[in-house]
């Protein structure tokens, strides 16, 4: 089973700071997902990637397949970015449907 | 169109009661997933359907847990003789296609509390 590790577990930043959240996994994957979960439980998919880099507004996600590592960056952070960010992977080259999740990184952005 | 919906949003059950949790996926989505999320933890896989076929139920923690999707649309997760350790948020997600690497759309979850 894939072990998905995220760091840090908790992160506090001041508004405007550049944020980096890291994710590493132990077994080859077909895709990696970054998800955002706000208090109250709703989960929103931010990115799905299998190579390289994707950008969406102030969010950037990168993945290094050889190193089994991904990062989520938030530029010019804002209090509304406060949420739990979860990394999840589809295991194996055959593309397992189910996701294996990290425990999440709780981000708090103070004004 | 509407997103994934789940009902009820909150459920309190006495230990030993049976509960049924419903998921309405996005119309036309082939795949449907159930996940369990304990407090402060990431979600964990329970089971997965492709249309009406349950292709993987390896994550169901015991034979008290049962899921169905009889017409390939709405799904129900049933927990019999609930125990306190079943207290968690149960998340449903759906995706358009049958193979891994497709974006999953999550419902708001059902928070189950067993007293």
């Amino acid at each position: 089973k894939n072990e998905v590790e995220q760091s840090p577990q908790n992160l506090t930043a001041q508004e405007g700071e550049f944020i980096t959240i890291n994710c590493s996994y132990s077994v080859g994957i077909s895709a990696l997902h970054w998800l955002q979960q706000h208090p109250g439980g709703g989960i929103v998919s931010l990115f799905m990637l299998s190579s390289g880099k994707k950008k969406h507004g102030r969010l950037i996600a990168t993945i290094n397949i050889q190193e089994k590592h991904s990062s989520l960056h938030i530029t010019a952070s804002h209090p509304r970015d406060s949420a739990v960010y979860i990394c999840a992977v589809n295991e194996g080259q055959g593309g397992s449907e189910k996701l294996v999740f990290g425990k999440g990184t709780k981000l708090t952005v103070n004004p | 169109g509407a997103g994934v919906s789940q009902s009820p949003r909150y459920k309190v059950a006495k230990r030993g009661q049976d509960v049924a949790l419903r998921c309405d996926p996005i119309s036309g989505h082939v795949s449907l997933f159930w996940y369990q999320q304990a407090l402060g933890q990431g979600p964990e896989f329970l089971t997965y359907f492709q249309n009406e076929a349950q292709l993987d139920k390896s994550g169901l923690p015991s034979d008290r847990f049962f899921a169905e999707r009889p017409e390939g649309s709405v799904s129900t997760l049933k927990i019999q003789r609930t125990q306190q350790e079943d207290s968690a948020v149960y998340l449903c997600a759906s995706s358009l296609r049958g193979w891994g690497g497709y974006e999953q759309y999550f419902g708001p979850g059902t928070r189950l509390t067993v007293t």
Side-chain angles (χ1 to χ4, degrees):
Chain A
K1 182 186 169 182
N2 224 325
E3 300 292 330
V4 179
E5 301 287 339
Q6 287 186 237
S7 62
Q9 284 189 329
N10 293 282
L11 182 55
T12 300
Q14 288 300 121
E15 184 172 357
E17 285 184 0
F18 181 83
I19 304 291
T20 295
I21 300 171
N22 295 298
C23 174
S24 61
Y25 51 92
S26 57
V27 179
I29 63 170
S30 57
L32 183 142
H33 304 249
W34 281 103
L35 309 166
Q36 181 191 57
Q37 186 170 32
H38 277 107
I43 291 179
V44 174
S45 177
L46 298 175
F47 295 102
M48 183 182 70
L49 65 167
S50 54
S51 64
K53 176 179 171 178
K54 286 191 175 180
K55 185 174 188 291
H56 197 113
R58 295 181 295 106
L59 302 179
I60 303 166
T62 64
I63 188 168
N64 184 318
I65 296 295
Q66 286 74 29
E67 294 186 4
K68 297 186 176 61
H69 181 269
S70 175
S71 293
L72 176 70
H73 304 288
I74 305 175
T75 61
S77 59
H78 191 275
R80 65 175 174 267
D81 297 327
S82 298
V84 175
Y85 292 83
I86 303 173
C87 172
V89 301
N90 293 104
E91 292 186 312
Q93 298 306 309
S96 171
E97 276 274 13
K98 68 185 184 189
L99 292 176
V100 178
F101 297 81
K103 291 186 177 180
T105 295
K106 184 176 180 182
L107 172 64
T108 303
V109 182
N110 294 318
Chain B
V4 178
S5 61
Q6 293 186 245
S7 61
R9 290 291 313 277
Y10 303 91
K11 177 70 179 177
V12 178
K14 286 188 168 40
R15 191 161 59 96
Q17 281 185 332
D18 298 348
V19 298
L21 313 180
R22 177 186 168 108
C23 173
D24 283 83
I26 293 172
S27 178
H29 276 197
V30 169
S31 299
L32 184 146
F33 308 82
W34 284 99
Y35 299 100
Q36 181 190 57
Q37 186 175 25
L39 190 64
Q41 302 294 314
E44 295 212 356
F45 172 80
L46 292 177
T47 186
Y48 148 58
F49 292 85
Q50 195 174 112
N51 295 307
E52 68 277 5
Q54 189 174 19
L55 297 190
D56 187 341
K57 54 181 180 179
S58 61
L60 295 177
S62 78
D63 59 8
R64 296 185 295 104
F65 286 70
F66 171 76
E68 60 183 4
R69 193 187 184 197
E71 296 177 359
S73 177
V74 171
S75 177
T76 304
L77 176 67
K78 297 178 180 176
I79 309 173
Q80 296 177 323
R81 304 181 303 281
T82 52
Q83 304 294 316
Q84 282 194 315
E85 62 262 27
D86 300 335
S87 295
V89 174
Y90 291 85
L91 295 163
C92 176
S94 69
S95 71
L96 186 59
R97 300 287 296 274
W99 290 105
Y102 284 90
E103 184 176 358
Q104 294 190 16
Y105 296 81
F106 287 80
T110 294
R111 182 178 297 277
L112 173 65
T113 303
V114 182
T115 60

